[in-house]
Structure formats: structure tokens, C-alpha cells
Amino acid sequence: MFRRAFWFTAGAAAGVWATTKVNRQLKKLTPESLAAQAADKAIEAGHRLKDFALDVKSGMSQREDELNDALGLHQDPDLPGNVTALPGPRRLRAIEHDQTKNRSNHLSGPYNRNEDH
């Protein structure tokens, strides 16, 4: 008799467990639940895209600073925002060197870029 009671109880418990599992899965498949899951996934994807964009922006800023340091471009506190100033002496020497080359190629005076157009 105890055997029958044990198996009856085990069967009833298994039936209740299976019924609750099936009902949970059916609730997950309702249109409202599917819409909520899709909205959650869209929000999560949006957060990931935002994080990616912020990572790209910080990487771009870091790389721009590295290139500015390598090229000798430094931020001038008198200039507004992200405008950078060219270093004076190095830039002038490059221009002077370039003008001496152009003077030897042209017979009359300094090179005028507007004459080519």
C-alpha cells in the first residue's frame, strides 16, 4: 500500500511540475511577451551600439592626440574649442625652403600660385 501511495504522489508531483513548465512556456509565447522581449533586445542592442560609439570616439581622440604630438601640433589655450595651432618656426622653415626651390625654377620673382589658374 505504501508503494502505491508513493507512486501516486510521485506521479501527481510530476504532473504538476510538467503543467507549470508548459504554462510558463506558453506565457512566454504570447504576443505581449514576445513584444516585450523584442523591446528588451532592442534596448540592449542600443546600449551596445552607444558603448561602441563611445569607444570609437575615445580611440579617435587618443589617436588624434598621438598624431598631434608626432607632428608637433599643440593645443593653443587662446584658440577656442578643438582648433590647434601650427608650430611657428618649424612651419616657417619648411615654407622658406620650399620658396627657394620655386625661385630657382621660375625666372621672375617669387612663385605665385594664382598664375597657374
Side-chain angles (χ1 to χ4, degrees):
M1 174 146 172
F2 288 112
R3 249 182 184 183
R4 288 183 186 168
F6 170 76
W7 287 113
F8 176 78
T9 306
V16 169
W17 177 79
T19 303
T20 57
K21 275 291 226 190
V22 168
N23 284 336
R24 283 184 194 160
Q25 291 299 323
L26 287 176
K27 285 181 184 177
K28 285 183 183 179
L29 296 176
T30 61
E32 296 84 15
S33 177
L34 291 176
Q37 288 176 7
D40 290 342
K41 296 287 184 181
I43 290 171
E44 183 180 334
H47 288 302
R48 287 183 182 175
L49 284 174
K50 180 182 173 186
D51 292 341
F52 175 72
L54 290 174
D55 288 344
V56 167
K57 186 176 179 180
S58 68
M60 285 172 45
S61 176
Q62 179 183 359
R63 182 62 178 151
E64 183 178 2
D65 291 341
E66 291 173 3
L67 290 174
N68 284 340
D69 289 341
L71 294 174
L73 301 175
H74 300 287
Q75 188 75 18
D76 189 359
D78 296 335
L79 296 176
N82 292 333
V83 179
T84 56
L86 294 174
R90 184 190 307 173
R91 182 74 178 152
L92 288 176
R93 275 186 271 151
I95 291 172
E96 290 169 2
H97 180 69
D98 190 34
Q99 286 178 352
T100 58
K101 280 185 180 179
N102 289 332
R103 284 187 186 151
S104 64
N105 292 337
H106 298 288
L107 299 175
S108 62
Y111 177 68
N112 187 354
R113 293 172 56 183
N114 292 329
E115 292 177 1
D116 289 343
H117 300 292

